């Protein structure tokens, strides 16, 4: 049963009391960036709540909530995140132990509670480095089949380690930021003997449905994070759209990996769902036939999360169509495994670093995490509401990714929207 | 002829008046990080110089020199860098127009001039993102031959665009920082039918001799930097050692590129040599048979620099051996071309972003930029002074990379040292 609140929370909201995700807001009356949590259709301005002595019954240095990012709060560590989340849940529940703080204090309510449609969301974290993994085995297999055929779809290393590559941190943006179609070098006739690229706007603009994990605990260079401690280094999760230019990628990516095909934009959802909020939704991931090396072995088999993921496409002036339903459990490696691997050679992480899961596709049709897979490499059309067809994205198209755990009875745990609309390529 | 100085500058110093490179220092008497320029065996503390009204005859907001990085100074733009460099050259020349500022002011000299062996050098820039290119064509060919044979050594895209990949910014460190040998997954028997990696310390630890370029001008997402403006976005150059774990790399790098093989450490030299100081050493690079797409076409054929590069290896308690002499001109693409390409799809750059050139090898024996090439993939031994032999690096080995332009007559333009000593791999 959902914990009852004195505050009105729609039961279909992903921001039930069981969630309490953190983000960064500004308002028209106060342009300064500060921390907030989402509750139902509203959010609680944590700076204003702190200023009204809202944290007087909680052991927390509440100045962290006046920062323009969540990095300082994240750096306080998982026990503190847990304390604050539990405290806020307590403040909002019907039988709160602290009724005078907010429940019976309409003056403070007016100062620190805003409707979500009144606030502007900002990047929740300052990202140092962004690393994108490739742990969605179904996606890796599907894409590998398209490029190299089923026999060589997965490389021999694939099941032994979480394959990953360094991404571009500067172009990670918040949900709602326009996505400018990239120009780039494309090989129009890959079969031709003389390979001569042309320069043009990307014709195969795609999405990648991913989860992102923010790091809350730094490790010094040369000192790996042991697998047993890795989960406690993760602050929380967001939905990530790793926009991809498939035609640019095909020409550029051998031998050093994707570059311009990925670095024009990556979009994240604005609310960071704490790792503790996801604990009830632990799930087994994709089974790995290999015995992993010890540094990647986790105690719990349930190392990923049952998060229902959805891809919705809306053409300009058109109707929305859900083109895919996937799930966060379709991963071969967990975020703790990714972090343990990332650092095992000595690489240092900083608070705010972002790990992408890789594209999360399910095993059957209708669960693919990219249009490349849905359209079978652009060979088949994707039929949308209103008779519209797509293979890849057109200018004006809007993509919304969503993720949610649980049910209305015990309270939904949602991620909000990860949204982007395609703008035309610039004239160069 | 070198410009004469009232200050004693050894003629063999790479920090002649023709140079004036910028760095970040601290001293035992003042632990705070601040900007300095190198002059001969000394450096000029720019914060102390500013405090002593040293910049009173120069149009500059000298508060930028009190920052712990050069980012704020870099962001002022190339005309300002030029103004400040010319001004400092003027202050130090024998017939300076401003003798009272420093030449005849021994009190200020004592406050702002330090011997270089008295100061601690720090990271010159806060790096947002680090991108490593692969523009050293001889290196790419040599390594391609080892991995794939001469016929397929270079991919079809290689001569059409500067191939690059995103590197790890967090593990870029200043010269002198110990380099911890990484552990990682290695495939001991690549020919075996069942590929089963083992976990062990890297056995093929290598260097990569590169130049690094720091960005001084941001571009917004979706707005490429035109090739004609790209050079003015480059603050200056450093020497870069992109340490590489070849055995880890071989197992992990297909299909998404190098990851743990590179992100354990990358070392840069401490002094940023301004792009203007390198102007007299413009040189033609490696000729490209392809006609490049317009966005990569530069007006000047002399688009790289004649910088003499050197690799020195010293075993623990042993003697130094110069194992390679290369040159900065052995590049197929220039830094402005790399920047134009990097941004052409809309990727945004920030002040302090670092571009690596890729390993710079010359065309003949003795000019290779990596031990992988010198030892022909580990098949031949490299003979060092004192009868010592190497194929790859052993614990306790010290590598020093150096770079210098010009001659003593007109004044040497040196980069200082890019140094690192190998520490043993940690026990995991």
């Amino acid at each position: 049963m959902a914990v009852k609140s004195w505050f009105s929370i729609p039961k279909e909201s992903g921001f039930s009391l069981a969630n309490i995700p953190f983000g960064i807001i500004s308002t028209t009356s106060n342009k300064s960036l500060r921390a907030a949590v989402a509750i139902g259709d509203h959010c609680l301005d944590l700076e204003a709540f702190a200023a009204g002595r809202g944290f007087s019954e909680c052991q927390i240095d509440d100045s962290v909530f006046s920062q323009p990012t969540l990095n300082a709060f994240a750096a306080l560590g998982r026990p503190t995140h847990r304390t604050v989340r539990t405290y806020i849940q307590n403040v909002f529940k019907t039988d709160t132990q602290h009724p005078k703080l907010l429940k019976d204090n309409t003056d403070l309510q007016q100062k620190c509670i805003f409707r979500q449609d009144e606030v502007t969301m900002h990047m929740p974290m300052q990202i140092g480095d962004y690393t994108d993994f490739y742990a969605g085995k179904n996606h890796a297999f599907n894409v590998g089949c398209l490029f190299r055929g089923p026999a060589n779809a997965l490389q021999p290393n694939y099941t032994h380690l979480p394959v990953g590559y360094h991404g571009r941190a500067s172009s990670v943006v918040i949900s709602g930021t326009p996505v400018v179609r990239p120009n780039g070098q494309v090989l129009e006739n890959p079969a031709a003997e003389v390979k001569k690229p042309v320069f043009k706007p990307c014709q195969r603009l795609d999405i990648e449905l991913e989860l992102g994990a923010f790091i809350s605990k730094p490790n010094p260079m040369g000192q790996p994070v042991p697998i047993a401690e890795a989960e406690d280094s993760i602050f929380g999760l967001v939905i990530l759209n790793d926009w991809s230019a498939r035609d640019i990628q095909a020409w550029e990516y051998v031998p050093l990996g994707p570059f311009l095909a990925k670095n024009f934009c990556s979009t994240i959802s604005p609310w960071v769902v704490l790792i503790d909020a996801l604990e009830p939704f632990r799930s087994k991931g994709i089974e790995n036939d290999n015995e992993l090396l010890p540094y990647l072995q986790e105690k719990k088999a349930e190392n990923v999360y049952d998060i229902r993921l959805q891809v919705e496409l809306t053409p300009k002036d058109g109707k929305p169509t859900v083109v895919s339903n996937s799930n966060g459990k379709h991963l071969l490696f967990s975020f703790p495994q990714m972090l343990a691997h990332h650092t095992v050679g000595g690489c240092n992480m900083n608070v705010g670093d972002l790990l992408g899961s890789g594209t999360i596709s399910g095993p059957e049709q209708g669960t693919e995490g990219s249009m490349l897979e849905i359209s079978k490499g652009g060979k088949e059309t994707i039929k949308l509401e209103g008779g519209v067809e797509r293979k890849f994205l057109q200018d004006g198209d809007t993509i919304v990714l969503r993720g949610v755990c649980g049910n209305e009875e015990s309270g939904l745990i949602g991620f909000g929207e990860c949204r982007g609309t395609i703008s035309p390529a610039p004239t160069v």
Side-chain angles (χ1 to χ4, degrees), chain A:
Chain A
M1 273 295 289
V3 175
K4 287 225 165 69
S5 177
W6 53 264
F7 187 74
S8 171
I9 303 175
K11 73 178 193 319
E12 68 277 13
S13 171
F15 303 128
S16 72
L17 269 201
N19 193 349
I20 312 292
F22 288 73
I24 293 290
I25 63 164
S26 68
T27 49
T28 43
S29 58
N30 180 359
K31 302 278 189 200
S32 73
L33 274 55
R34 69 257 191 206
V37 293
I39 295 173
D41 295 336
H42 293 75
C43 60
L44 176 71
D45 175 342
L46 296 179
E47 182 182 49
F49 185 61
R53 296 192 39 75
F55 286 106
S56 55
E57 304 291 326
C58 181
Q59 294 284 339
I60 171 83
D61 168 11
D62 58 19
S63 69
V64 294
F65 300 126
S66 301
Q67 301 285 322
T69 68
L70 297 172
N71 290 48
F73 174 56
L76 296 178
R78 188 171 179 184
T80 302
H81 312 152
R82 190 176 289 157
T83 299
V84 172
R85 174 167 166 267
T86 306
Y87 180 78
I88 294 173
Q89 286 173 325
N90 189 322
V91 165
F92 275 89
K93 68 183 184 185
T94 303
D95 55 345
T96 174
Q97 293 166 275
H98 315 295
K100 290 183 187 167
L101 287 182
L102 196 64
K103 184 183 178 186
D104 301 337
N105 186 344
T106 50
D107 180 53
L108 184 57
Q109 285 179 31
Q110 284 180 5
K111 286 179 180 157
C112 69
I113 296 179
F114 296 95
R115 288 205 323 269
Q116 278 175 38
D117 57 15
E118 287 178 319
V119 307
T120 303
M121 300 302 301
H122 301 271
M123 281 291 286
M125 306 286 280
Q126 180 172 354
I127 301 171
D129 281 286
Y130 159 46
T131 301
D132 198 23
F133 284 90
Y134 195 51
K137 188 182 175 190
N138 298 317
H139 168 79
F141 180 77
N142 292 342
V143 171
C145 286
L146 291 172
F147 281 103
R148 294 176 294 270
N152 299 303
L154 296 179
Q155 298 294 318
N157 58 20
Y158 188 81
T159 53
H160 291 279
L161 53 80
V163 170
Y165 67 101
H166 302 119
R168 178 81 191 175
S170 72
S171 51
V172 180
V173 298
I174 190 84
S175 177
T177 307
V179 179
V180 182
R181 181 183 299 274
N183 291 295
Q185 290 197 19
V186 172
L187 196 62
E188 291 193 310
N189 184 3
E193 198 170 331
V194 178
K195 313 284 188 208
K196 200 165 168 53
V198 297
F199 183 79
K200 62 190 296 190
C202 166
Q203 303 296 303
R204 290 162 76 95
L205 186 56
D206 199 0
I207 59 156
E208 292 200 337
L209 170 65
E210 303 196 20
L211 289 168
F214 280 110
I215 300 299
S216 59
K217 196 172 173 182
N219 67 295
M221 249 177 79
Q223 296 183 28
V225 179
I227 186 78
E229 296 171 22
E231 189 182 290
D232 284 347
S233 297
I234 294 170
F235 178 49
L237 267 52
V238 292
I239 307 284
L240 168 66
N241 189 344
D242 187 39
W243 306 91
S244 299
R246 301 298 179 193
D247 40 2
I248 294 171
Q249 185 175 356
W251 169 238
E252 75 172 2
Y253 92 106
V254 179
L256 298 183
F259 183 44
L260 299 194
K262 299 282 189 171
N263 67 15
F264 58 96
C265 191
S266 313
T267 306
I268 60 169
S269 56
W271 296 103
V272 182
V273 176
L274 295 189
I275 206 84
D276 277 320
L278 296 168
E279 185 64 24
F281 310 102
R282 279 183 172 280
S283 178
K284 279 189 186 171
I286 296 173
E287 198 154 346
N288 197 331
D289 298 333
N290 287 322
E291 193 191 15
L292 292 173
L293 285 162
Y295 81 93
L296 288 172
Q297 289 177 14
E298 285 183 282
K299 280 194 181 153
K300 294 183 190 167
E302 292 77 16
N303 60 356
V304 297
Y305 302 104
D306 179 2
I307 305 169
R308 300 186 295 280
L309 300 170
Q310 192 180 79
V311 181
E312 182 189 273
L313 197 170
T314 310
K316 188 167 191 251
D317 306 320
K319 292 177 187 162
T321 305
V322 173
V323 296
S324 179
N325 285 285
S326 186
N327 194 296
K329 68 188 176 189
H330 299 311
L331 292 170
L332 187 65
F333 292 98
S334 69
F335 281 119
Q337 286 174 320
M338 294 179 214
L339 178 59
H341 180 66
H342 202 322
T343 60
V344 79
C347 183
N348 55 322
M349 309 296 293
N350 290 309
V351 176
D353 286 348
L354 177 64
L355 310 183
S357 62
T359 309
I360 305 177
S361 298
E364 64 270 324
Q365 206 172 351
T367 64
E368 301 91 343
S370 69
M371 294 175 76
L372 182 71
E373 294 165 84
I374 305 176
S375 72
K376 306 229 177 342
K379 289 199 195 80
E380 298 180 7
T381 53
I382 307 167
K383 297 196 189 307
L384 307 180
E385 298 291 329
V388 182
E389 294 187 342
R390 286 287 182 276
K391 288 175 175 172
F392 293 96
L393 293 168
Q394 295 194 4
D395 293 345
D397 284 355
T398 295
I399 288 284
V400 177
L401 308 182
R402 295 188 183 88
V404 68
C405 307
N407 56 46
E408 292 184 6
E409 200 179 337
S410 50
L412 293 166
I413 313 278
F415 286 77
E417 291 187 344
C418 179
R419 173 186 290 265
T421 299
I422 310 302
S423 303
T427 311
V428 177

